[in-house]
Amino acid sequence: MEKIDFKKQYKNLFNPSSKEFSLADVPESLFLMVDGQGDPNTSQSYKDAIQALYPVAYKLKFASKENPGKDYTVAPLEGLWWADDMAAFTNNDRDEWKWTLMIMQPEWISEKMFRDARNAVLKKDLPALDKIRFERFREGLSVQIMHIGSYADEAPVIERLHKEWLPQNGYIENGKHHEIYLSDPRKVAPEKLKTILRQPVKKI
């Protein structure tokens, strides 16, 4: 049975340059998604969201192997980030940060498969389980770069994107800041973490 790996199938989306910004047209995809607010380092709701997403994601993977007989690698965790007052990011007021955590799903995963997978893990103590939704999401034209290093060191790269690259190339923001976490911070040293930083854009 062939195993599909999104990172290999969509190299232009999951393997951008780490040296320069590049444009990509991000297609519509299916996702498991959970919304929340708070500091990702200390917020219980953030931990609850991750702890709920992965059991459902893996249950779907194993269900897919049985029927329709398709195997795939569980996609990396992704996050959309914003705040009612975006100064919360420059001021590092993390309690005001809002986020949507999500995991991409294959096109053949159905609403019924999602419901069955979620119901199958109901017996576990997962407070955020009922917050998971199964939706399509499309960003379209986006600019992205591979950030190698600590999450705390992302700010200069993001600032360069918004204050230099966008105005110099005639684009403005057209959606929420997006991060794709390719490394497991429990296993990878902070200076070696790989994170895709992505920003939906449109021409001025």
Side-chain angles (χ1 to χ4, degrees), residues 72-161:
Y72 60 92
T73 301
V74 172
L77 182 70
E78 307 186 30
L80 304 177
W81 297 88
W82 74 101
D84 292 336
D85 181 355
M86 292 303 287
F89 287 92
T90 55
N91 297 334
N92 206 31
D93 187 4
R94 299 188 175 198
D95 289 338
E96 297 302 315
W97 291 7
K98 294 186 177 182
W99 39 262
T100 297
L101 295 182
M102 53 197 204
I103 299 177
M104 186 178 177
Q105 301 299 304
E107 283 299 310
W108 62 82
I109 299 297
S110 66
E111 178 70 28
K112 182 180 184 305
M113 291 175 71
F114 161 65
R115 292 197 304 268
D116 289 346
R118 187 175 57 182
N119 290 339
V121 297
L122 275 175
K123 60 184 178 181
K124 298 184 179 181
D125 183 18
L126 300 170
L129 193 60
D130 62 347
K131 298 180 181 178
I132 298 179
R133 62 185 194 278
F134 182 59
E135 289 185 1
R136 290 190 171 275
F137 176 72
R138 185 180 190 279
E139 286 180 298
L141 186 64
S142 300
V143 60
Q144 58 184 17
I145 194 169
M146 181 76 76
H147 173 70
I148 300 177
S150 168
Y151 302 137
D153 295 333
E154 293 175 1
V157 182
I158 297 172
E159 183 176 17
R160 182 159 53 92
L161 166 64

Side-chain angles (χ1 to χ4, degrees), residues 25 28 33 40 46 66 86 97 113 126 133 149 169 180 193 201 203:
D25 188 6
E28 180 178 273
M33 310 175 84
Y46 188 87
E66 294 182 8
M86 292 303 287
W97 291 7
M113 291 175 71
L126 300 170
R133 62 185 194 278
N169 290 275
I180 303 174
L193 291 171
V201 296
K203 269 288 188 181

